[in-house]
Amino acid sequence: MALPPSGTTDEAFLREVDEEYRRSQVLGIWQKYGRLIIGAVVLAFVALAGFLFWQHQTDSAAGAKGEQYDAALREIEQNQGDKATPELAKLAASGSNGYAAMSSIIEGNLLVQKKDLKGAAAKYAAVAGNSAFAKPLRDYALLRQTSVEYDTLKPEVVVSRLQGLAKPDSAWFGSAGELVATAQIKLGKRAEAGKLLQQIAQGGENVPDTTRQRAVQLASVLGIDVLDQSKEKQVK
């Protein structure tokens, strides 16, 4: 075997040897692990395809549920609640999405219209007690459940259920606070009820005007005048 040329040709020769060595290493690795590598690549593509298919199916299903939900609402607007009920029942049983929760709540509302308060409370309770649903929907369902059951509940149960919602930073402060305040009056806790009614009367965007007005009237029964403070806050 001839000796390689000296000088710059030495570097070229060494590079050629190095490349040949690397090629032999790669070939050895491929011969040993080639099938595993191909299998891993195929599995990766299968997983990606599966994810994309699942995403497509999820989006399609959500779109279909949205259309069913809108159709049911249109039927209710046209005073065809009985016709909308089967579709709402299907949506309510469709999983843990927002359409399922809202469909159950609307089912409850329709039952309230029919004076079936027990059935309505059960629909609301199913949403309120399902941790898979979004918290705002669970909070609203709990408020509705407590509202329709109010006359049959002990006042301490009302306070216990809604005390987390009867706070000024809650979206349901007005309605929840009103129920809690009346329950506190039944429990003889007039000072606590009066303080809560004053907060409601002076409430901000989370409290409708009609609710503030009722709070003022109820507070006056307790001998608390919150009207001036409420007007002062509105002026500010």
Side-chain angles (χ1 to χ4, degrees):
M1 179 176 177
L3 293 174
S6 60
T8 56
T9 55
D10 289 344
E11 296 179 3
F13 174 76
L14 291 175
R15 282 199 301 270
E16 183 178 348
V17 172
D18 184 57
E19 290 174 0
E20 183 64 27
Y21 174 73
R22 290 181 181 180
R23 280 196 295 269
S24 65
Q25 275 192 320
V26 170
L27 180 60
I29 292 172
W30 181 256
Q31 289 174 341
K32 188 173 182 180
Y33 301 108
R35 291 184 179 181
L36 293 177
I37 293 172
I38 292 174
V41 171
V42 170
L43 286 176
F45 277 113
V46 170
L48 177 61
F51 171 75
L52 293 175
F53 177 76
W54 172 82
Q55 189 175 49
H56 172 73
Q57 291 293 95
T58 301
D59 293 342
S60 298
K65 289 175 183 177
E67 292 176 0
Q68 293 173 352
Y69 182 77
D70 290 341
L73 290 185
R74 287 194 296 270
E75 289 171 343
I76 293 172
E77 290 173 355
Q78 297 169 2
N79 296 319
Q80 297 179 333
D82 291 338
K83 188 176 179 180
T85 299
E87 290 300 322
L88 291 172
K90 291 179 183 177
L91 288 169
S94 64
S96 59
N97 54 72
Y99 291 120
M102 284 305 302
S103 295
S104 291
I105 291 173
I106 293 174
E107 282 186 296
N109 293 345
L110 292 176
L111 289 173
V112 169
Q113 293 178 5
K114 294 180 179 181
K115 310 299 182 183
D116 183 2
L117 301 185
K118 186 176 181 179
K123 294 294 182 181
Y124 299 139
V127 177
N130 191 337
S131 60
F133 291 135
K135 190 174 185 302
L137 293 174
R138 287 187 281 120
D139 288 345
Y140 176 68
L142 180 63
L143 178 60
R144 292 291 291 151
Q145 177 192 355
T146 306
S147 177
V148 299
E149 291 181 332
Y150 185 82
D151 291 336
T152 64
L153 294 175
K154 294 181 178 180
E156 56 265 31
V157 174
V158 175
V159 175
S160 176
R161 278 190 188 179
L162 300 182
Q163 59 184 354
L165 303 181
K167 297 179 180 180
D169 59 349
S170 168
W172 314 114
F173 174 51
S175 300
E178 190 174 26
L179 291 174
V180 170
T182 53
Q184 288 174 334
I185 293 173
K186 290 182 179 180
L187 291 170
K189 298 180 179 180
R190 297 168 65 89
E192 293 180 22
K195 181 179 179 180
L196 184 54
L197 289 170
Q198 187 171 11
Q199 289 178 323
I200 295 171
Q202 298 175 5
E205 297 178 355
N206 289 343
V207 183
D209 289 340
T210 53
T211 305
R212 285 203 294 265
Q213 292 169 7
R214 286 198 302 271
V216 170
Q217 294 171 355
L218 188 55
S220 65
V221 174
L222 300 177
I224 301 173
D225 185 6
V226 298
L227 187 59
D228 292 338
Q229 296 94 322
S230 180
K231 286 183 177 179
E232 181 181 349
K233 185 166 184 177
Q234 291 176 7
V235 170
K236 290 181 180 179

